[in-house]
Amino acid sequence: MALYRDQAVVLHTWKLGEADRILALLTAGHGQIRAVAKGVRKTRSKFGGRLEPTCHVDVQLHKGRSDLQIVTQAESLDTFATLRSDPDRFAEASAMLEVVERLAPEGEGDRRRYDMLVGALRTLDRRPSPLLVPAFFLKVLAHEGLAPSLDACVRCQATEPLVAVDIGEGGVLCDGCRRGRPVSESALAVMRAVLGGHLATALEVEDARVCGEVDAVATDAVEYHLERRVRSRRVMEQA
Amino acid sequence: MYADAVQQVIDELGRLPGIGPRSAQRLAFHLLETDPTDVERLTAAIVEMRSRVRFCTRCSNISEDDLCTICADTRREGSVLCVVEEPRDVVAVERTAEFRGRYHVLGGSISPIDGVGPDQLRIRELLARLEPEAVAEVILATNPNIEGEATAMYLARLLEPLGVEVTKIASGLPVGGDLEYADELTLGRALEGRRRLGGD
């Protein structure tokens, strides 16, 4: 399979040499791969703006003997115009790409993970919601089997009152066992909706306090499991 | 394998961008065969560059004095600022000979995944220049890639409320290119920015 085609989302790019770039791609059929796009930084490159982070493309790749594959052709599937024109949405998209880049193993296809990322980018492009990124974090963790447990106290199995979340402990805690981050009943309800297949309803929530709580828990969870901080989540906050 | 001194030069050259072990070896041997005065001139030039060149205190372009030649040139229009990512971009815009204003070098572009946000760029320094220099127009000339555009949009949002005219360099098809190879985004931009031929 020297030459093959696949669909992919560009996760991250690094400059290489004079005019090339190395791309981290999440492909539909081959998991995460690293590939070189030759000449992509030249103004007359045949790839144009198709191989930038967030781009969803149909690519032809050449797999040689080296670890790095070569992109030989690329066609756009989605261009996500609003992600390019809104720096805040670009930062949110970057957070999702950053987490997927860390989580997705190389060379191991996972259609579900790929579809989740493409779906989340499309939603962010068309109908953004303050809960989109945290919901994506929770869904991705759940897909890896790492979602926090939210139905009963992870220490004593009590089902109420559930008042805190400690990611290190594995999930929610009751009043008696409380430690970690305090969390409200509404925020727990939103997280259960996200993980229980009611994503669309959960994304309708706009209450800033609830969104803030869910965001904090989801970011904690993803950073705990990745064992590093999600940089994209913080850079726009400083300004 | 080689004498220590040769190996040391090979190692040092090999740390330069785009120089692999083979090229480093070739360059080292070339230097061995070159006239010693030529080698001295080269090393002196490198040392001199590193000791003399710094960043312009006003626009952050590379400079030999406190102010770069462009900032120090009183014939340049002070009311128009062209914002670019890197000093190399200043050279690119200067080559067009179309621009008579001054520059501001940001030192990169917003790239959240690499941990680069507005605070890591020289944006505060840009804002501080607007009033004392009576800037009327800011031309955003960041790279037309996603990071460059996010930076341009961020700056536009920041600058417009301050009563400064904010413009962005046009993007579209490169001169001498083929329409059929243009991606949808570039061609879309080119259509959006079309202009009347003749007249005006």
Side-chain angles (χ1 to χ4, degrees):
Chain A
M1 66 162 205
L3 213 54
Y4 68 100
R5 265 180 72 176
D6 205 341
Q7 298 187 347
V9 174
V10 182
L11 301 175
H12 197 172
T13 67
W14 300 266
K15 285 182 186 174
L16 176 72
E18 190 74 6
D20 309 340
R21 267 187 215 281
I22 295 179
L23 316 173
L25 299 169
L26 183 74
T27 62
H30 301 81
Q32 184 175 169
I33 59 159
R34 298 283 155 106
V36 177
K38 293 202 167 164
V40 70
R41 283 154 58 206
K42 291 186 186 161
T43 47
R44 283 191 205 170
S45 159
K46 62 180 175 179
F47 298 124
R50 296 184 189 100
L51 294 175
E52 298 197 79
T54 74
C55 285
H56 183 209
V57 282
D58 190 337
V59 279
Q60 188 176 56
L61 292 152
H62 177 78
K63 192 171 183 178
R65 262 176 260 164
S66 135
D67 288 343
L68 277 175
Q69 305 183 24
I70 311 274
V71 182
T72 53
Q73 289 176 28
E75 273 306 319
S76 295
L77 295 170
D78 289 280
T79 45
F80 302 130
T82 56
L83 300 186
R84 296 182 75 98
S85 57
D86 181 339
D88 295 320
R89 276 199 231 180
F90 173 52
E92 295 200 323
S94 299
M96 301 198 284
L97 301 180
E98 186 181 341
V99 167
V100 171
E101 189 198 343
R102 296 285 153 196
L103 272 176
E106 290 194 19
E108 199 179 293
D110 184 337
R111 184 76 205 196
R112 174 92 187 96
R113 188 192 289 128
Y114 173 79
D115 287 340
M116 273 200 288
L117 179 62
V118 172
L121 288 171
R122 284 188 181 142
T123 313
L124 181 64
D125 189 52
R126 286 167 208 163
R127 278 192 64 209
S129 146
L131 280 175
L132 185 65
V133 175
F136 178 76
F137 285 175
L138 291 173
K139 296 282 278 185
V140 165
L141 286 178
H143 179 63
E144 306 291 330
L146 299 171
S149 152
L150 300 171
D151 295 322
C153 174
V154 287
R155 284 194 152 183
C156 71
Q157 312 310 316
T159 51
E160 60 186 15
L162 300 170
V163 295
V165 171
D166 188 288
I167 298 299
E169 290 277 338
V172 78
L173 293 154
C174 72
D175 205 14
C177 313
R178 70 185 309 163
R179 54 188 289 180
R181 192 184 279 283
V183 68
S184 69
E185 191 50 50
S186 343
L188 281 176
V190 169
M191 290 189 272
R192 287 189 196 115
V194 168
L195 295 174
H198 304 285
L199 183 62
T201 3
L203 291 182
E204 299 287 325
V205 175
E206 282 182 352
D207 184 293
R209 194 179 52 84
V210 174
C211 293
E213 279 183 55
V214 175
D215 190 15
V217 172
T219 306
D220 271 0
V222 95
E223 289 183 343
Y224 177 84
H225 290 294
L226 290 181
E227 294 178 359
R228 56 175 280 153
R229 294 167 83 90
V230 181
R231 294 200 277 196
S232 310
R233 222 50 203 130
R234 295 192 166 80
V235 289
M236 297 305 282
E237 287 167 11
Q238 304 160 356
Chain B
M1 198 184 320
Y2 301 112
D4 281 354
V6 179
Q7 189 60 48
Q8 200 179 345
V9 171
I10 293 176
D11 291 346
E12 291 300 324
L13 288 171
R15 284 156 57 164
L16 298 172
I19 308 280
R22 299 288 297 182
S23 320
Q25 223 174 74
R26 203 158 42 84
L27 288 171
F29 277 96
H30 173 77
L31 292 172
L32 271 181
E33 288 162 14
T34 317
D35 192 57
T37 53
D38 287 344
V39 177
E40 271 160 33
R41 218 179 30 243
L42 171 68
T43 51
I46 295 174
V47 171
E48 173 128 340
M49 175 186 79
R50 280 304 287 158
S51 66
R52 277 192 21 206
V53 173
R54 47 200 154 138
F55 292 105
C56 170
T57 51
R58 197 189 279 175
C59 73
S60 308
N61 189 9
I62 46 174
S63 167
E64 289 190 16
D65 299 297
D66 270 358
L67 288 183
C68 69
T69 48
I70 297 171
C71 284
D73 186 347
T74 49
R75 289 165 303 172
R76 309 267 321 197
E77 233 177 287
S79 61
V80 190
L81 273 189
C82 180
V83 176
V84 295
E85 292 181 16
E86 303 287 349
R88 273 172 302 183
D89 302 329
V90 171
V91 179
V93 179
E94 279 297 284
R95 269 205 303 258
T96 66
E98 294 273 339
F99 181 66
R100 294 298 304 156
R102 297 216 167 93
Y103 294 89
H104 188 84
V105 181
L106 290 173
S109 55
I110 292 177
S111 176
I113 204 165
D114 298 307
V116 182
D119 276 9
Q120 280 71 39
L121 304 175
R122 298 190 192 96
I123 292 179
R124 234 171 276 132
E125 291 83 341
L126 170 66
L127 297 179
R129 290 180 67 183
L130 300 179
E131 223 176 80
E133 295 180 41
V135 175
E137 183 184 354
V138 172
I139 302 173
L140 300 174
T142 51
N143 285 328
N145 54 33
I146 195 159
E147 293 90 359
E149 285 185 16
T151 313
M153 296 310 292
Y154 180 86
L155 286 174
R157 216 166 56 183
L158 210 63
L159 295 169
E160 263 158 5
L162 304 175
V164 185
E165 187 178 348
V166 182
T167 55
K168 183 167 170 287
I169 53 165
S171 62
L173 299 173
V175 176
D178 268 13
L179 207 65
E180 86 172 285
Y181 292 112
D183 61 295
E184 329 26 43
L185 220 78
T186 310
L187 195 50
R189 293 280 170 81
L191 271 172
E192 209 177 273
R194 69 188 182 279
R195 57 182 200 187
R196 195 178 296 279
L197 276 184
D200 84 352

